[in-house]
Amino acid sequence: MLYFVIKALHQLSDFLLIGGMLINAFVISMVPPPIRVGVIVALRRYDRTVTTAALAGAWIFGLWLAFGYIGFAGNGWLHAKLLLVVILSALHGMQQAAMRKMAADPKLEPNAFVRIGMPVILICLVLVVALAVIKPF
């Protein structure tokens, strides 16, 4: 029973994280400079409270599942999934830094990796779900 509760909390955290990161990516890459500051100020508040908490929850519940129920030995899919999750975590940190800098200077453009955040997030999401469901190796 506890396993299913932890798994549900992990998945809920994942949904909130991906949704928040996609909103961040959209605002960073699509919102024009004249209205950027107001949108980013509101989004940063949401990102700090919801998306960052979801990132922490995804890591906590995911590691709880990995250490408590799944194990790392012989689960290559889990190692690949963790690599993708590290990439998503790093991208989230880069998004936060970019939004902080863009709030101070609306004409500033983020680096290329942050600008292409949407496809990176979606590709990582598809691969993570495929690895977790199919467990190919």
Side-chain angles (χ1 to χ4, degrees):
M1 175 68 175
L2 181 60
Y3 170 78
F4 294 111
V5 171
I6 297 167
K7 189 173 179 179
L9 290 170
H10 177 62
Q11 290 175 342
L12 178 64
S13 298
D14 294 344
F15 292 141
L16 290 172
L17 171 64
I18 295 301
M21 288 184 68
L22 286 171
I23 293 168
N24 291 349
F26 176 79
V27 168
I28 288 169
S29 62
M30 302 294 209
V31 173
I35 61 169
R36 190 178 279 171
V37 174
V39 173
I40 287 179
V41 168
L43 180 59
R44 284 187 68 211
R45 193 174 314 115
Y46 176 84
D47 183 68
R48 282 192 305 267
T49 57
V50 177
T51 309
T52 303
L55 177 62
W59 272 105
I60 290 167
F61 298 122
L63 290 174
W64 191 346
L65 289 169
F67 283 110
Y69 298 97
I70 298 169
F72 288 97
N75 290 319
W77 65 270
L78 184 57
H79 296 274
K81 179 182 170 188
L82 282 171
L83 174 65
L84 294 168
V85 171
V86 166
I87 291 169
L88 286 171
S89 298
L91 177 58
H92 181 254
M94 294 170 74
Q95 285 179 331
Q96 286 182 317
M99 288 191 301
R100 184 180 61 250
K101 291 174 185 173
M102 290 166 70
D105 181 11
K107 295 184 193 296
L108 181 71
E109 291 297 323
N111 66 39
F113 187 65
V114 175
R115 272 196 315 271
I116 62 162
M118 258 189 255
V120 170
I121 294 164
L122 293 173
I123 289 168
C124 285
L125 173 65
V126 167
L127 292 173
V128 163
V129 169
L131 287 168
V133 172
I134 299 170
K135 297 176 179 55
F137 47 90

